Amino acid sequence: MNFSTITIFLYFFVINFALLQSANIDISKFGGKPNGDISKALTSAWAEACSSTTASKIVIPSGTYQMTHVEVKGPCKAPIEIQVDGTIKAPPKPEDVSGEQWLRIGYVDQLTMSGNG
């Protein structure tokens, strides 16, 4: 192999490696803050991740968050990981959840949940 062939090979290797890396989508990008309700932020982060053509990771950082009813669904274009490093609290009274379920995720393949929360 000559130098230009090696350079081209390395270029494509780096490009492919970068494409395989998941994009992190922090809920703070959508207004998710500790001690606040993250329902809308999580829904917005999901919409971005679900429409992405590359793997995405929704990140809920350390902290304590409130969440009312959240419903998200696919089909999504690429794998999604939800990394929960914080604590998510449901409303204290079940009747305060505005829906049948607190969190509902439907019509999704390749979903991973991870984190320390």
Side-chain angles (χ1 to χ4, degrees):
M1 277 191 206
N2 63 28
F3 180 73
S4 62
T5 304
I6 293 171
T7 303
I8 291 171
F9 174 77
L10 288 174
Y11 174 77
F12 283 110
F13 175 78
V14 169
I15 294 297
N16 285 333
F17 182 77
L19 290 175
L20 293 174
Q21 299 300 305
S22 63
N24 286 353
I25 304 169
D26 194 306
I27 61 164
S28 63
K29 175 180 176 182
F30 301 99
K33 298 176 184 168
N35 302 315
D37 185 346
I38 62 167
S39 302
K40 289 181 183 177
L42 181 56
T43 302
S44 296
W46 179 271
E48 182 176 314
C50 193
S51 66
S52 175
T53 56
T54 60
S56 299
K57 182 188 300 183
I58 298 170
V59 178
I60 301 172
S62 297
T64 301
Y65 303 90
Q66 304 297 319
M67 190 172 82
T68 57
H69 173 72
V70 171
E71 182 173 350
V72 293
K73 59 185 170 181
C76 297
K77 296 180 180 180
I80 296 178
E81 178 179 350
I82 301 175
Q83 179 178 316
V84 182
D85 289 327
T87 300
I88 303 173
K89 292 186 174 184
K93 296 185 254 175
E95 58 269 14
D96 291 341
V97 174
S98 58
E100 293 179 15
Q101 298 169 344
W102 182 50
L103 173 62
R104 182 177 180 159
I105 301 172
Y107 307 105
V108 178
D109 292 326
Q110 300 177 325
L111 174 68
T112 304
M113 299 286 291
S114 67
N116 299 313

